[in-house]
Amino acid sequence: MALPVAANDVCWNRIGVRGDRTCPELEKVTHCHNCPVFAAAGRRFLDAPSPPDYLDEWTVRLSDPEERAASDQLSVLVFRLGDEWLALPVGVLVEVTRPRAPHRIPHRGGLLAGLVNIRGELHLCVRLDLLLGVATPEHQSGEPSPRLIVVRRDTEGWAFAADEVDQVHRVPGQSLAPPAPTLSRAHTKLTRGVFRLDKRPVGLLDDARVFQTVRERIR
């Protein structure tokens, strides 16, 4: 039996499970949620017209911040050269592998360390530490094992040695701060900004400028 219900005097709050439980229908339906009166009230609520601008307001509230936050996140690989922690966007990352001794190219040196063979494919090996002006001491026993990082952007690819590789992190773009003025000129020019990770500063390299500079310097 459907009971008449006024909007300001709903039966489930007065004689139902939230009230004194004197409703005769409770014996049959057990809970007000199973009652046709409760279901009818829910349908009336859902069928009621929305207030003006309701959909526009909640679209802005719920959708826009999530989309903005997602687009602002940067996925980067964090690694160390000497005492400097750096990062590159994962979009240019090909792989991280064990180090290999580069084969020197006659009459070439400096920034270009040589060629490395990775699963039968030859890659240019670049001294990223020299490019950035970062001092890299010799690797000693007990320190984290060095790694070789292979990167590619469009059709250009090369590898470089890193003293330590951390992992991929997601970084809010708005957290980037300007590079410290104490960095070398080359370092500052090739860095998009600095973010903090576990209380240590990490310089996010500008991959486009890094690739352009490498291309110009090893021609």
Side-chain angles (χ1 to χ4, degrees), residues 10-89:
V10 291
C11 59
W12 51 88
N13 286 336
R14 182 168 45 83
I15 60 175
V17 293
R18 293 183 180 178
D20 59 13
R21 295 179 175 267
T22 59
C23 177
E25 298 296 312
L26 279 178
E27 185 176 350
K28 293 187 297 183
V29 299
T30 307
H31 196 284
C32 294
H33 291 173
N34 303 321
C35 178
V37 176
F38 188 88
R43 284 194 297 270
R44 288 198 299 272
F45 174 79
L46 294 176
D47 292 340
S50 302
D53 300 327
Y54 175 84
L55 293 179
D56 293 338
E57 176 185 352
W58 280 100
T59 298
V60 172
R61 282 192 184 186
L62 299 178
S63 301
D64 187 52
E66 292 181 1
E67 293 173 0
R68 191 180 307 152
S71 63
D72 189 47
Q73 293 287 322
L74 304 173
S75 294
V76 299
L77 175 70
V78 175
F79 58 92
R80 180 174 61 83
L81 294 180
D83 294 330
E84 295 283 344
W85 284 96
L86 303 164
L88 275 169

Side-chain angles (χ1 to χ4, degrees), residues 4-207:
V5 180
N8 60 351
D9 185 27
V10 291
C11 59
W12 51 88
N13 286 336
R14 182 168 45 83
I15 60 175
V17 293
R18 293 183 180 178
D20 59 13
R21 295 179 175 267
T22 59
C23 177
E25 298 296 312
L26 279 178
E27 185 176 350
K28 293 187 297 183
V29 299
T30 307
H31 196 284
C32 294
H33 291 173
N34 303 321
C35 178
V37 176
F38 188 88
R43 284 194 297 270
R44 288 198 299 272
F45 174 79
L46 294 176
D47 292 340
S50 302
D53 300 327
Y54 175 84
L55 293 179
D56 293 338
E57 176 185 352
W58 280 100
T59 298
V60 172
R61 282 192 184 186
L62 299 178
S63 301
D64 187 52
E66 292 181 1
E67 293 173 0
R68 191 180 307 152
S71 63
D72 189 47
Q73 293 287 322
L74 304 173
S75 294
V76 299
L77 175 70
V78 175
F79 58 92
R80 180 174 61 83
L81 294 180
D83 294 330
E84 295 283 344
W85 284 96
L86 303 164
L88 275 169
V90 296
V92 301
L93 176 65
V94 176
E95 66 174 297
V96 177
T97 184
R98 62 177 179 81
R100 294 160 171 79
H103 299 280
R104 298 292 298 272
I105 302 176
H107 312 296
R108 300 295 296 271
L111 183 62
L112 182 59
L115 295 171
V116 290
N117 187 322
I118 302 178
R119 289 187 299 279
E121 183 178 353
L122 293 178
H123 294 264
L124 294 175
C125 187
V126 172
R127 289 286 303 276
L128 192 60
D129 57 325
L130 291 182
L131 184 68
L132 300 174
V134 175
T136 54
E138 291 293 330
H139 183 73
Q140 299 179 0
S141 177
E143 295 182 357
S145 177
R147 289 289 183 265
L148 195 68
I149 301 177
V150 185
V151 293
R152 181 177 297 278
R153 193 174 193 272
D154 299 328
T155 58
E156 297 179 75
W158 35 270
F160 66 92
D163 294 297
E164 184 179 352
V165 174
D166 184 5
Q167 63 183 39
V168 173
H169 294 271
R170 291 182 64 82
V171 179
Q174 61 186 4
S175 68
L176 292 178
T182 55
L183 295 178
S184 68
R185 182 178 178 182
H187 200 330
T188 303
K189 180 182 177 182
L190 300 176
T191 302
R192 289 179 53 185
V194 178
F195 62 92
R196 300 200 72 82
L197 183 66
D198 297 331
K199 298 183 179 180
R200 67 183 179 229
V202 179
L204 176 59
L205 297 177
D206 186 325
D207 56 295

